[in-house]
Amino acid sequence: MKVFLQLSWFFKQEKKAYITGIVLLLMVAFLQLVPPKIIGIVVDEIDQGTLAAGKLLLWIGLLVGAGLSMYVLRYYWRIMIFGSAVKLARQLRKQLFDHFTNMSQSFYQRKRTGDLMAHATNDLQAIQQTAGSGVLTLVDSLATGGFVMIAMAATISWKLTLIALIPMPLMAILTSWYGNLLHRRFHKAQEAFSALNDKTQESISGIKVLKTFGQEKEEIEDFRRQSDDVVKKNISVAKIDSLFDPTISIVVGISFFLSIVFGARYVLNEEITIGELISFTTYLGLLIWPMLAFGWLFNIVERGRASYDRVSRLLAEKTEVLEQKDALDLIPSGKIGFQIATFIYPGEKEPVLQDVHFSLKQGETLGIVGKTGAGKTTLLKLLIREFDLKNGKVTFGGRAITEYKIKKLREAIGYVPQDHFLFSATIRENIAFTNPLIDEEKIFKAAKIANIHDDILEFTDGYDTIVGERGVSLSGGQKQRISIARALLLQPEVLILDDSLSAVDAKTEEEILHALKHEREGKTTIITAHRLSAIHHANLIVVLDEGKILERGTHEELMEMDGWYKEMYVRQQLEELVEQGGSLYGK
Ligand code: ADP
């Protein structure tokens, strides 16, 4: 029952609805006592031959009145209690979503998407049930059960009531034992479901890869195994779940048996009337529901507790990228400096960046090049604070970036990541995603600079073309250019293109860079690339190798150095010539 305490903050918040709901429930519980009593009285009057038509009508009127009142009251308590429970789910869902958007990269590296989705669906549902059906079964079983027992003891026979209740402790012991078993098994079933969820999500996202590698069969087999596991674990939950009903039926059956055996003797001894015995057994019938409800209560509460624990643990995770209390509410601007002694990814041992010191004046263009895995993207992630440095700092406008509000820092930066992502929405919405109400002209302008405007106009629906999940219907280069347009629309202080021109051809690259140069006059641009032609115009080029700066300078300076850069540059020039079908010896 701890979960009710854990949820007390919510019950307080929805005090009015819960109190109203519970009062209505209590009224129903009380009204339920009326029909059995009337039936007993009528039987006794028949038995004694005193029943007249007028009286019978009165009793029937009372029965109908009680029935109608219960109908109305039941409708309203449902709205009050179940309606509030839906609010709880909504509130937790929002908290979870806010939390997810706040968490840093390393959180998503640790957690599996399917697992997080299971938290946001299955677990919230179980918690909602606790706040709805859980509260109902608790109050109703206690109230109906209590009222009925009092009515039996006070108005009929306390002796017979005690006898009828003899088997009840057995039920309490058994149901609480089942409840414990259920808790453990339910936990395992939830975990298996999470794993399956994860598997499904991954298989669907990676369906193309799966198919190209002909791995469908293995994948189906794997899926079947996990799916079987979910079934097995749910059956083990169901096995315990199924014990509740028969146990309760047996216990109630014994109660009936005892009541009739002893009740008949009391009638013969004239301690109670036949009508009272009938009322008594009808009351006993009314006890079945509260007892069943009590059994369900354990079930619901166990699930709710497991789920609430999981959700709470998730909400308690702290993001590693923290904002200072007195962080500046100001969009940074100016010179950018990297002073990195070492950077190690959370949970790793080897540094991925070492001794990286350089700076960039406002308005300059920085080119970062180097082999795959050299640390280029890592450097950019430090600038946008996807990760924080422990050993060194990044400065922006003369201050450490940690001194700014995270939101403000990111507002200064337009980041086009390597693994760009398009939403399942129109192209227009994808570009104007940070500012849906922006003028069409501005969208067009951004698209023109990114060299995608003409392509878009060629689609049947133009800017209203829907892009499939992850933009399946577009080429890699088109997706890259839409992502660039999206970042350009912000007119950010700093534009970061993280290998964002890799899928466009050399000519388009040239055109985009040319347009960018004009557009980004006076603003800082950072470009990482494999193709050196994308950065040769930069004010500063940094060559990274295994996390360290290998060479630095302008294109001309680097060419004079006769190092990695020059070698690569010459090689790429040759490759391009060959691709264009040219020859080394003149055109
Ligand atoms: P580049 O952009 O130059 O290809 P990255 O900056 O992506 O290189 O990666 C540099 C190194 O850091 C690689 O060895 C990579 O495996 C590692 N790395 C990248 N991201 C993470 C991460 N989130 N956690 C741990 N290691 C990472």
Short mmCIF file of all heavy atoms in Angstrom, two decimals, residues 66 83 105 386 470:
data_model
loop_
_atom_site.label_atom_id
_atom_site.label_comp_id
_atom_site.label_asym_id
_atom_site.label_seq_id
_atom_site.Cartn_x
_atom_site.Cartn_y
_atom_site.Cartn_z
N ALA A 66 -33.84 3.42 -4.25
CA ALA A 66 -32.44 3.10 -3.91
C ALA A 66 -31.67 2.76 -5.19
O ALA A 66 -30.53 3.22 -5.40
CB ALA A 66 -32.40 1.93 -2.94
N GLY A 83 -11.57 10.04 -13.64
CA GLY A 83 -11.16 11.26 -14.33
C GLY A 83 -9.88 11.81 -13.74
O GLY A 83 -8.97 12.23 -14.46
N GLN A 105 23.23 13.62 -23.65
CA GLN A 105 23.53 12.50 -24.55
C GLN A 105 23.84 11.20 -23.83
O GLN A 105 23.38 10.14 -24.23
CB GLN A 105 24.77 12.87 -25.38
CG GLN A 105 24.44 13.67 -26.60
CD GLN A 105 23.74 12.80 -27.62
OE1 GLN A 105 24.11 11.67 -27.81
NE2 GLN A 105 22.71 13.33 -28.23
N GLU A 386 26.85 19.12 -25.21
CA GLU A 386 26.22 17.81 -25.10
C GLU A 386 26.97 17.03 -24.04
O GLU A 386 26.43 16.13 -23.40
CB GLU A 386 26.28 17.08 -26.45
CG GLU A 386 25.02 17.24 -27.22
CD GLU A 386 24.94 16.35 -28.44
OE1 GLU A 386 25.54 15.27 -28.44
OE2 GLU A 386 24.27 16.76 -29.38
N ARG A 470 12.37 9.74 -40.90
CA ARG A 470 13.79 9.88 -41.23
C ARG A 470 14.00 10.24 -42.70
O ARG A 470 15.05 10.00 -43.26
CB ARG A 470 14.55 8.61 -40.89
CG ARG A 470 14.70 8.45 -39.41
CD ARG A 470 15.54 7.26 -39.11
NE ARG A 470 15.63 7.14 -37.66
CZ ARG A 470 16.71 7.45 -36.96
NH1 ARG A 470 17.77 7.88 -37.56
NH2 ARG A 470 16.71 7.32 -35.66
#
